[in-house]
Amino acid sequence: MASEVEYESILCVKPDVNVYRIPPRASNRGYRAADWKLDTPDWTGRMRITAKGKVAYIKLEDKVSGELFAQAPVEEFPGIAVETVSDSSRYFVLRIQDDNGRSAFIGVGFGDRGDSFDFNVALQDHFKWVKQENEIKSSQAADSGPKLDLGFKEGQTITLNIGQGKKRDKPRPQSSGGLGLLPPPPGGKIAPPPPSNHNTVQPSGGAQTECLLELDSSNSNTVVQSNPSSDLWGDFSSSASTVPPPASRQESSSGNWVQF
């Protein structure tokens, strides 16, 4: 199988970049751009970042002729090939290599913060793509492995027993001593309703009624005696007195029979 052909792609180009010789690192605290001679750079040119496969290359070239001054291969970012300084975001330390494998550390700086930002983003995007490619290849390798065959072989059968299981009797709860259910109340016997308040009020009501009747009877006697309408009874008695006694009636009737 033929190997895949790798093409070189350009990630970023910056026309102005300064290169500085840096002193050896004094301690593990990192590099400081203030220790460099920032006013007098040792070289000035352009930067071109390219990628070939998974490796990125930072190339320092002449502005006019395009002649290569130095290059720094970057296999991971952040890493030893590209380091930041502790006192500025516009300056970096690159590890350059020649064709013989010899390496050296130089300082590079940008005049604009936007250029340094683009430099960082170009490297981050490239290695993010490399990480995704590695994940895809690992997943494909896992899928290409032997898979578990769960299918039936030729002539293989299975037997299913559906609805032939024995019915299990549900266990009846056994009452333990002193913890069983309470017996139901005796049937047919209903407790009488509680006495209502009407029974207690009736005697007092009857006594009040008798008192009222006595008051009415006494009042009626007094009214008849003092009422002037009693003269009507007098008229009735006077008219009744004008009627002849029964003796005179008999005499008159006997006289009439005699005359007949």
Side-chain angles (χ1 to χ4, degrees):
M1 180 178 180
S3 60
E4 296 181 359
V5 179
E6 294 181 348
Y7 297 94
E8 185 179 24
S9 59
I10 298 175
L11 304 180
C12 180
V13 176
K14 292 300 175 184
D16 293 322
V17 64
N18 299 323
V19 177
Y20 306 92
R21 290 181 181 179
I22 59 175
R25 183 184 299 181
S27 62
N28 293 330
R29 66 179 183 176
Y31 294 99
R32 296 178 70 251
D35 299 334
W36 308 343
K37 297 179 181 180
L38 301 178
D39 296 335
T40 57
D42 296 296
W43 184 85
T44 301
R46 73 179 182 187
M47 176 185 287
R48 190 162 58 96
I49 304 174
T50 62
K52 190 174 183 179
K54 298 180 180 180
V55 182
Y57 296 91
I58 301 173
K59 297 181 179 183
L60 302 176
E61 301 172 344
D62 185 78
K63 291 182 180 180
V64 179
S65 62
E67 182 182 358
L68 181 64
F69 173 74
Q71 72 173 2
V74 183
E75 296 180 355
E76 61 178 356
F77 181 78
I80 192 173
V82 181
E83 298 182 48
T84 59
V85 297
S86 59
D87 57 347
S88 178
S89 61
R90 295 186 294 115
Y91 297 91
F92 302 88
V93 176
L94 303 181
R95 186 186 65 176
I96 59 175
Q97 290 181 349
D98 59 6
D99 296 336
N100 297 326
R102 294 179 300 179
S103 62
F105 292 92
I106 61 173
V108 296
F110 300 95
D112 188 5
R113 294 185 184 275
D115 294 338
S116 63
F117 176 79
D118 295 339
F119 172 75
N120 268 314
V121 171
L123 293 176
Q124 290 175 1
D125 290 345
H126 171 71
F127 286 100
K128 186 183 294 184
W129 170 81
V130 171
K131 183 179 179 181
Q132 292 176 353
E133 288 292 321
N134 293 333
E135 292 177 353
I136 292 173
K137 288 183 178 180
S138 61
S139 62
Q140 289 178 353
D143 295 339
S144 61
K147 297 181 180 180
L148 182 61
D149 187 9
L150 299 178
F152 289 105
K153 303 298 187 294
E154 184 177 357
Q156 185 178 4
T157 60
I158 60 173
T159 303
L160 299 178
N161 296 326
I162 300 175
Q164 296 181 1
K166 295 182 180 180
K167 297 182 179 179
R168 296 181 180 179
D169 296 335
K170 295 183 179 179
R172 296 181 179 178
Q174 297 179 358
S175 60
S176 58
L179 298 178
L181 299 176
L182 296 176
K189 294 182 180 181
I190 301 175
S196 60
N197 296 329
H198 298 288
N199 295 332
T200 58
V201 175
Q202 286 180 358
S204 61
Q208 293 178 0
T209 306
E210 292 175 358
C211 294
L212 291 174
L213 291 174
E214 292 175 359
L215 291 174
D216 293 338
S217 60
S218 60
N219 291 332
S220 62
N221 294 331
T222 56
V223 169
V224 170
Q225 293 175 2
S226 61
N227 193 356
S229 62
S230 60
D231 294 338
L232 298 174
W233 292 98
D235 295 338
F236 179 76
S237 59
S238 59
S239 60
S241 60
T242 56
V243 178
S248 59
R249 288 181 184 177
Q250 293 177 358
E251 292 175 356
S252 59
S253 59
S254 59
N256 293 328
W257 284 102
V258 172
Q259 293 177 2
F260 181 78

